[in-house]
Amino acid sequence: MTTSQQSDDSPKTPLPQAQKPAAKPVVAPSVAHTTPLDEAAKFARVTEDGHVFVIIDGAESPVGQYPDATQEEALGYFVRKYDDALSQLMLLEQRVAAKAPANELSKAVQALSATVAERHMVGDIPALETRLETVRVAIEALTTEQRKANDQARAEQLAARESIVEQAEALAGKRPEQIQWKTASAAMNELFEAWKGSQRSAVRLPRATEDALWKRFRSARTTFDRHRRAYFSQLDSTNAAAKSVKEELIARAEALQESTDWAATAAEYRKLMDEWKKSRRASRKDDDQLWSRFRAAQDVFFQARAAANAKIDEEYSQNLVVKEALLEEARALLPIKDLAAAKNKLDSIRTRWEAAGKVPRNDLQRIESALRQVEDAVKGAEDEQWRRSNPETKARSNSMLSQLQDTISALEDDLEAAKAKGNAKQIAAAQEALDARRMWLSTLEKSAADFQ
């Protein structure tokens, strides 16, 4: 292209004059492109006064004027504009391949398309527009793809938020007395953190949907907190009442701890223990402290009683030695050969037994039980002697012997009569009855001999 071309080929309207740039446009190094001037000259015509025309499909279109410069400088200026647009296009292509946000890419391709449509550049504009169209179509496909992904992510985000709300509502809907508050409070805090984490997500829910879910979640948390405050307020009141009851029991226990009425006071402490078991529990910390005080009051009494009993047992140990000797003397009466002598000896032992005094508590039951066995043996012998010598019993026994003998005599006659008849059935019956009565007679005669 030369400046010898006719000036009447220039447009009739004045062209914009290009301002000389202070520096070349800055383009990302990875997508920078430089078109050689000899190649760019195929798409332009430059006049001697700096007017530049771009040639598209054989038709010229005014680009602008670059005055006070050589033709090469004027051409180079508008070629750099083309290179800048091409670099932006290459950057767009890279971003599409990297699946950058489609809405940003759409704005960028629209802006670049508008710049190319102005034709204020020199280069292969049709090729640039073709690549722009390819990028635009790719961006539309990417927009559809990202919209589907966003819809899915939004649905997942909605499900996650609804799950958080439903879990919070489930916690808030439980009866306060059925809730493990430490665990439940931690769970509610975790749900709140999960909600805040969802809010920081790149996926946004529609404002109306998010507001409605937040209103439900906030209401559940408010209800939960109200139930928790009411529960612990009631618990504090219950604990205070239980503490008051146990304080009164402790006061009664402490009032008895110096008593030396061992039996009566021990019974009172048992009653107090029954009341303690039936009373409500206070808080864990208070209840443990109250029990320690209650137990300490009892320990004072029972330790004093144990010390007193130990002292008494020590005093009674010599009495035990005496009674152990008397017990051996009593056991020597067995088996009983002479009842009258045994009774006299046992009476003497009892007199000395009472005179010996008390024995230690731990030996009391053993020593008394052992003597009672000897006493029972003597009493049994006495009862047996009375049974044998009882006139009424003797008379009754003799009467029974006489009646049984008469019966046997009659049965013997019956047996003889049956034999005379030769009736086997009557013989067997009579013999069986006779044998039974004879056995009874033998037993009764042995018993009667004991009364002699």
Side-chain angles (χ1 to χ4, degrees):
M1 180 178 300
T2 66
T3 58
S4 60
Q5 293 175 308
Q6 297 297 319
S7 61
D8 55 4
D9 292 334
S10 304
K12 304 302 181 182
T13 56
L15 295 173
Q17 292 189 353
Q19 300 296 321
K20 291 184 178 181
K24 293 182 179 181
V26 177
V27 182
S30 60
V31 293
H33 180 80
T34 301
T35 303
L37 290 183
D38 57 348
E39 182 180 340
K42 299 175 183 178
F43 304 100
R45 180 173 67 86
V46 183
T47 64
E48 292 181 355
D49 59 357
H51 283 88
V52 180
F53 300 85
V54 65
I55 301 173
I56 303 174
D57 296 330
E60 292 186 355
S61 177
V63 175
Q65 183 182 18
Y66 196 86
D68 302 326
T70 65
Q71 290 178 320
E72 287 76 9
E73 289 175 336
L75 178 61
Y77 174 77
F78 289 104
V79 169
R80 286 194 296 274
K81 286 183 173 292
Y82 175 85
D83 288 341
D84 180 62
L86 181 58
S87 296
Q88 292 183 51
L89 175 59
M90 292 170 66
L91 179 61
L92 267 175
E93 290 171 336
Q94 292 181 5
R95 296 185 66 196
V96 170
K99 298 185 182 299
N103 59 338
E104 297 178 6
L105 298 177
S106 295
K107 293 178 182 179
V109 78
Q110 289 175 7
L112 183 57
S113 296
T115 299
V116 173
E118 291 175 353
R119 302 290 194 266
H120 295 324
M121 61 184 68
V122 173
D124 191 353
I125 292 179
L128 193 63
E129 290 176 334
T130 298
R131 288 177 67 178
L132 271 171
E133 178 62 18
T134 300
V135 168
R136 187 188 63 76
V137 172
I139 291 174
E140 289 179 353
L142 183 60
T143 299
T144 300
E145 177 186 340
Q146 291 184 351
R147 183 179 296 115
K148 289 181 179 179
N150 287 339
D151 289 345
Q152 181 178 353
R154 192 173 293 111
E156 292 173 354
Q157 181 66 230
L158 176 60
R161 294 284 187 94
E162 288 178 337
S163 175
I164 292 172
V165 172
E166 288 168 0
Q167 291 180 67
E169 289 175 338
L171 286 174
K174 289 184 177 181
R175 294 174 61 85
E177 63 273 14
Q178 297 175 337
I179 296 177
Q180 295 290 335
W181 285 104
K182 184 176 181 180
T183 303
S185 297
M188 184 63 81
N189 290 336
E190 289 175 1
L191 290 174
F192 186 46
E193 292 301 320
W195 179 276
K196 291 191 291 186
S198 296
Q199 285 185 314
R200 291 191 291 268
S201 170
V203 180
R204 308 298 298 178
L205 295 177
R207 182 63 178 269
T209 301
E210 183 164 354
D211 287 348
L213 287 172
W214 168 247
K215 184 177 181 180
R216 287 173 57 192
F217 183 62
R218 182 181 59 192
S219 176
R221 290 181 69 220
T222 300
T223 300
F224 179 84
D225 289 340
R226 184 174 67 252
H227 287 171
R228 180 175 57 186
R229 288 193 298 271
Y231 174 81
F232 282 105
S233 176
Q234 179 61 41
L235 184 62
D236 288 344
S237 176
T238 301
N239 286 342
K243 184 177 180 181
S244 177
V245 169
K246 292 188 173 181
E247 290 279 8
E248 191 269 336
L249 292 175
I250 291 170
R252 289 163 60 189
E254 290 174 341
L256 293 171
Q257 65 186 359
E258 301 299 334
S259 173
T260 56
D261 187 355
W262 308 121
T265 306
E268 286 299 317
Y269 272 122
R270 285 193 292 271
K271 292 179 182 178
L272 288 176
M273 179 62 77
D274 290 339
E275 292 183 50
W276 184 280
K277 291 178 179 178
K278 293 176 183 178
S279 65
R280 286 180 174 271
R281 287 183 60 84
S283 67
R284 177 72 176 270
K285 180 180 179 181
D286 287 342
D287 215 61
D288 289 345
Q289 293 177 348
L290 291 167
W291 169 251
S292 295
R293 291 172 54 196
F294 181 68
R295 191 63 186 172
Q298 295 183 77
D299 288 345
V300 171
F301 168 78
F302 286 109
Q303 287 171 6
R305 187 183 70 169
N309 288 338
K311 184 177 180 180
I312 292 172
D313 288 346
E314 184 178 359
E315 294 174 356
Y316 291 166
S317 60
Q318 294 302 318
N319 298 343
L320 177 62
V321 173
V322 174
K323 286 194 174 183
E324 289 281 11
L326 290 173
L327 180 59
E328 291 302 317
E329 187 177 341
R331 284 172 173 167
L333 299 176
L334 304 179
I336 300 173
K337 297 177 181 178
D338 185 339
L339 179 60
K343 288 174 63 178
N344 291 334
K345 186 67 173 177
L346 184 58
D347 287 341
S348 172
I349 292 173
R350 284 175 179 154
T351 301
R352 287 177 287 157
W353 185 278
E354 294 299 328
K358 296 181 179 180
V359 298
R361 293 171 58 86
N362 292 339
D363 297 294
L364 178 61
Q365 184 176 358
R366 175 184 64 81
I367 201 75
E368 292 290 341
S369 176
L371 180 62
R372 195 175 304 114
Q373 290 177 3
V374 176
E375 293 174 335
D376 290 343
V378 173
K379 181 65 168 60
E382 186 177 13
D383 291 343
E384 179 65 16
Q385 186 182 55
W386 167 250
R387 185 181 66 82
R388 292 179 179 180
S389 60
N390 188 346
E392 182 180 347
T393 304
K394 280 184 175 183
R396 185 164 55 249
S397 177
N398 291 334
S399 176
M400 290 177 64
L401 280 170
S402 177
Q403 291 176 9
L404 189 56
Q405 288 170 347
D406 291 342
T407 301
I408 290 172
S409 178
L411 288 173
E412 287 174 344
D413 292 341
D414 291 343
L415 177 60
E416 291 300 326
K419 287 180 178 180
K421 293 179 181 179
N423 189 326
K425 185 175 182 180
Q426 290 182 359
I427 293 172
Q431 186 66 55
E432 181 179 356
L434 181 60
D435 291 342
R437 296 313 187 276
R438 285 173 176 171
M439 184 179 295
W440 293 349
L441 177 61
S442 176
T443 302
L444 191 58
E445 286 175 342
K446 288 180 182 180
S447 297
D450 291 338
F451 294 108
Q452 301 304 319

